[in-house]
Amino acid sequence: MNPAGKSPQPSDAPEITLPVKITVIVFWGMVLVGLLAAYPLLHSLEQNVALKYSANANHIAYAMDHLLLGKTEISQEQLEPTLTRLITETGISGMSLEHSGGTLRYGDTADHLATSARDASYGTSNGSLPAPPIRLTIFQPSITETMAVQRKHMVVSIGVTLLVFGLSLQWVLKKVLTQPFQRMMYAAQGITRGDLSQRFDEARADEFGFLARFINKALDYVTWQQAELRAALDRARASESALAKEKERAEVTLHSINDAVITTDENGAIEYMNPVAEALTGLTQNGAKGRVLKDAIKLVDEATRSVMENPVESCLRDNQPTESLDHVLLVRSDGQEIDIAHTAAPIRDRHGALIGAVVVIHDVRHSRLMARELSHQASHDELTGLYNRREFERQLRLAVASAKLDHRDHAMCYLDLDQFKVVNDTCGHFAGDELLRQFTALLQKHVRDSDVIARLGGDEFGILLRHCAMENATRLVTILIGKVRDFRFKWEKHTFDIGVSIGLVAVTEHNKDITEILSAADVACYAAKDAGRNRIHVHTADDNVLLRRQGEMQWVSRLGQALEENRFRLYCQPIVEVAGAHPHPEHYEILVRLEDEDG
């Protein structure tokens, strides 16, 4: 705190002009008041001057009457002392006396002076009549000149009075206002320089003391607030440091994971992408930031090729996490398509308000490729690449359902290679595998794209002719037989003619199930083989050959089962009976009897 006494003024301290301003205001106010008061004063003074001039003239005329009273004549020497005394007493400039004998002038009788005329008488000429009067003219300054001098004196007097009053007022104001203001300014300047220990003087009992106490309380509160703010700032800096560490840790985590992570604001605009996301989408963090995710990334359905809704849209709209369906493709700007799986979740602030979304995209190309390979392996033959038996049965089951539902007829072919075992035994299994591959290529070349080809066994194949009536199916299979007949398989120095036996079965709404169809096709195929190979046998409901074949197959099944269950009995009986003689052993036959459940 500055001492109560006068302190040296800092170089940057402002000039204290308030006392001067107050003094100037008061000075000119008093000048205005003085001017307003001077007008009636001067008017009264002018009247007094006029009265004084008239009184002077009357006084001089009375004095002259008294001097000349009873005298018949008087000399100039006699008049001079009296005139001098009257001029001195009244302050007039001069006078003149006119009578029959001439004019006597005494003092200043210039023409520019104001005059007042009076008559004075002195004695009589014959003792009975009065003598002619003396014309007395009194010369005085004009009232205008007198008033001008009076105004000048008044202005000077007022000016001197006001000047003295102003200087005195300024000195008083300097003591009363300037010094307290200076002390407050010095304290304020110290505060502005950061010295919060500065305080204003509270010792005064006037307004300055009250203001000082008020400001000091405000300074104490500001100091306390600054301490609180400093502490809060320290806490904020500590929190900021912790948040920076957490952010760095989170970024390191996001950089290290193998999934693509993208965050958006509440409008779906991209805010962050980790390096995996940049590599996966072909975008850069700087290039994608601020772009709407649905415009930056295109997702399509693998099966329908239709554009799919961006996960962020549904997540922000429903305010709920979302997961991708299967078969989602991410289409990059360069046209590359990537199999992905994605999830999206809303981001909320501590009050629960939605502020954005995070999308995690997983590259599933490898897993889906493996799944496709496994699915392919599960439904295809490894050697030929055709459908296997299980998948063929599934396709056949669909065809049966289609025939029942849509009343569309299909046809099924059961094919058996005739020379496959010969090739295997002659040239080995590698040659047999190559024969199967070439035969597969021949089939694929001469059937329709809509048809289904499968390898059902070692050298057995199946063809499902979709939406094909038996007439057309017979014609197609006949052509296929001809192509196979013309086919020659070459392996090293060997050349083989390949034949094929085909059983053809209609697939209609009257079929019970695929077991019936497969059994009929198998029987028809073997019927074709029994008929001389490289033939076609078309299955019909009243086919005697097939009925006999089915009966034989049933007996084979029964015999196999009986062998397993040991239900056979052997009997011997002679072929030719000779009376009274035993037959020769060659004339006997062995009979095998199957004992059924009914004995």
Side-chain angles (χ1 to χ4, degrees):
M1 192 72 187
N2 289 319
K6 187 183 245 183
S7 301
Q9 187 174 357
S11 59
D12 59 344
E15 182 180 359
I16 307 299
T17 59
L18 183 60
V20 176
K21 292 178 180 178
I22 295 175
T23 301
V24 169
I25 293 172
V26 174
F27 175 80
W28 285 111
M30 294 187 67
V31 167
L32 179 62
V33 172
L35 291 177
L36 293 176
Y39 177 78
L41 184 62
L42 289 173
H43 181 70
S44 175
L45 184 61
E46 184 177 2
Q47 292 180 347
N48 291 336
V49 170
L51 292 175
K52 181 180 179 181
Y53 278 15
S54 177
N56 288 339
N58 293 332
H59 175 69
I60 292 173
Y62 176 78
M64 290 302 298
D65 285 341
H66 181 74
L67 178 64
L68 298 175
L69 182 63
K71 295 181 179 180
T72 57
E73 63 181 24
I74 188 170
S75 64
Q76 184 175 353
E77 290 79 7
Q78 292 176 331
L79 289 173
E80 186 173 351
T82 301
L83 295 177
T84 301
R85 178 178 59 83
L86 290 174
I87 291 173
T88 303
E89 287 179 355
T90 59
I92 62 175
S93 299
M95 65 178 69
S96 65
L97 288 83
E98 296 179 7
H99 55 88
S100 57
T103 301
L104 174 64
R105 294 180 177 271
Y106 189 80
D108 186 5
T109 58
D111 294 338
H112 66 279
L113 296 175
T115 58
S116 299
R118 296 289 189 274
D119 291 334
S121 59
Y122 62 96
T124 57
S125 59
N126 52 14
S128 58
L129 294 174
I134 297 174
R135 186 67 174 175
L136 179 63
T137 303
I138 301 168
F139 293 86
Q140 300 182 87
S142 67
I143 294 178
T144 303
E145 291 180 357
T146 302
M147 290 306 300
V149 173
Q150 292 295 329
R151 281 195 294 269
K152 181 178 180 180
H153 289 167
M154 182 177 290
V155 169
V156 171
S157 299
I158 292 174
V160 171
T161 302
L162 292 178
L163 179 61
V164 173
F165 177 80
L167 292 176
S168 300
L169 179 62
Q170 184 176 359
W171 181 82
V172 172
L173 291 176
K174 187 175 181 181
K175 289 291 185 181
V176 174
L177 295 178
T178 303
Q179 291 180 357
F181 268 126
Q182 284 179 337
R183 287 193 292 270
M184 295 184 74
M185 282 192 303
Y186 297 153
Q189 286 176 340
I191 293 171
T192 57
R193 294 189 182 97
D195 183 10
L196 296 181
S197 63
Q198 292 280 352
R199 289 296 181 271
F200 295 98
D201 184 12
E202 300 181 5
R204 299 177 62 94
D206 54 8
E207 291 83 357
F208 288 102
F210 174 80
L211 182 61
R213 287 188 292 273
F214 177 78
I215 295 177
N216 286 341
K217 289 181 180 179
L219 287 173
D220 292 338
Y221 179 75
V222 169
T223 304
W224 176 79
Q225 286 284 77
Q226 284 189 341
E228 290 293 318
L229 289 174
R230 207 173 285 114
L233 182 60
D234 293 338
R235 292 192 297 270
R237 286 173 178 169
S239 299
E240 183 180 0
S241 178
L243 287 175
K245 291 180 181 178
E246 289 296 328
K247 180 181 178 182
E248 183 178 359
R249 189 179 296 109
E251 289 182 352
V252 170
T253 303
L254 292 175
H255 279 62
S256 62
I257 63 177
N258 293 325
D259 291 333
V261 179
I262 303 173
T263 61
T264 70
D265 61 13
E266 65 275 13
N267 297 317
I270 297 174
E271 291 185 337
Y272 170 79
M273 299 176 68
N274 69 346
V276 178
E278 292 180 330
L280 187 67
T281 62
L283 303 173
T284 62
Q285 166 81 9
N286 294 332
K289 190 171 185 179
R291 293 182 61 186
V292 179
L293 185 62
K294 68 176 182 179
D295 297 333
I297 298 177
K298 180 181 179 182
L299 303 179
V300 299
D301 185 275
E302 182 181 13
T304 64
R305 308 300 301 177
S306 59
V307 178
M308 302 181 66
E309 183 181 32
N310 195 281
V312 168
E313 292 183 89
S314 57
C315 176
L316 294 176
R317 181 184 63 246
D318 303 332
N319 199 11
Q320 293 292 333
T322 61
E323 293 185 5
S324 64
L325 302 174
D326 294 333
H327 312 297
V328 179
L329 294 178
L330 185 150
V331 183
R332 291 163 48 109
S333 58
D334 57 5
Q336 182 182 359
E337 296 181 352
I338 302 174
D339 293 287
I340 65 167
H342 61 74
T343 60
I347 301 175
R348 300 181 178 90
D349 60 15
R350 62 179 181 176
H351 303 295
L354 182 66
I355 60 174
V358 57
V359 184
V360 180
I361 303 175
H362 183 56
D363 185 352
V364 296
R365 284 177 289 185
H366 180 67
S367 60
R368 285 187 182 170
L369 178 61
M370 292 182 62
R372 292 188 188 105
E373 290 179 354
L374 291 174
S375 176
H376 186 273
Q377 292 174 4
S379 60
H380 289 73
D381 176 59
E382 184 177 359
L383 177 63
T384 61
L386 299 176
Y387 285 130
N388 57 19
R389 188 179 188 92
R390 183 174 64 179
E391 179 62 20
F392 185 78
E393 290 178 355
R394 191 182 73 85
Q395 295 289 339
L396 184 59
R397 193 175 292 109
L398 293 175
V400 172
S402 171
K404 294 181 181 297
L405 182 65
D406 301 331
H407 308 291
R408 300 290 298 270
D409 292 343
H410 312 282
M412 182 216 160
C413 303
Y414 198 101
L415 296 81
D416 183 84
L417 283 176
D418 292 337
Q419 299 297 321
F420 179 70
K421 189 174 186 309
V422 175
V423 174
N424 255 352
D425 294 342
T426 304
C427 302
H429 293 290
F430 290 107
D433 292 345
E434 181 60 25
L435 171 60
L436 293 176
R437 282 191 286 266
Q438 291 186 17
F439 182 72
T440 297
L442 179 67
L443 294 179
Q444 291 173 331
K445 184 177 180 181
H446 292 95
V447 299
R448 302 171 303 175
D449 294 337
S450 60
D451 297 333
V452 177
I453 309 174
R455 183 186 178 195
L456 304 179
D459 60 349
E460 298 170 350
F461 294 82
I463 300 177
L464 175 61
L465 302 173
R466 287 190 174 125
H467 308 301
C468 184
M470 286 300 292
E471 182 181 353
N472 295 331
T474 303
R475 185 171 60 254
L476 291 174
V477 172
T478 302
I479 295 173
L480 183 60
I481 285 286
K483 297 297 181 181
V484 174
R485 185 182 296 113
D486 296 337
F487 174 69
R488 300 291 182 272
F489 176 68
K490 296 181 180 180
W491 184 264
E492 295 178 350
K493 297 179 181 180
H494 303 281
T495 301
F496 300 92
D497 293 333
I498 305 301
V500 63
S501 299
I502 302 177
L504 183 60
V505 181
V507 180
T508 67
E509 59 182 323
H510 303 295
N511 296 119
K512 295 180 180 180
D513 52 28
I514 65 170
T515 303
E516 178 188 36
I517 297 172
L518 289 171
S519 177
D522 182 52
V523 171
C525 179
Y526 278 96
K529 188 181 288 287
D530 291 342
R533 302 179 183 276
N534 223 20
R535 294 177 181 272
I536 305 170
H537 192 99
V538 180
H539 174 272
T540 59
D542 56 352
D543 191 334
N544 293 327
V545 175
L546 294 182
L547 290 175
R548 184 177 68 251
R549 181 72 179 176
Q550 286 176 342
E552 292 173 355
M553 295 300 295
Q554 290 175 0
W555 270 107
V556 170
S557 176
R558 291 180 64 190
L559 290 174
Q561 185 177 1
L563 285 172
E564 290 180 0
E565 299 175 358
N566 194 19
R567 292 190 288 110
F568 285 100
R569 296 293 182 267
L570 298 179
Y571 300 92
C572 291
Q573 67 180 15
I575 298 175
V576 179
E577 295 184 0
V578 181
H582 293 286
H584 192 274
E586 293 180 358
H587 296 164
Y588 282 84
E589 63 180 352
I590 299 174
L591 300 179
V592 179
R593 180 179 179 182
L594 175 61
E595 294 183 350
D596 291 333
E597 295 178 356
D598 55 1

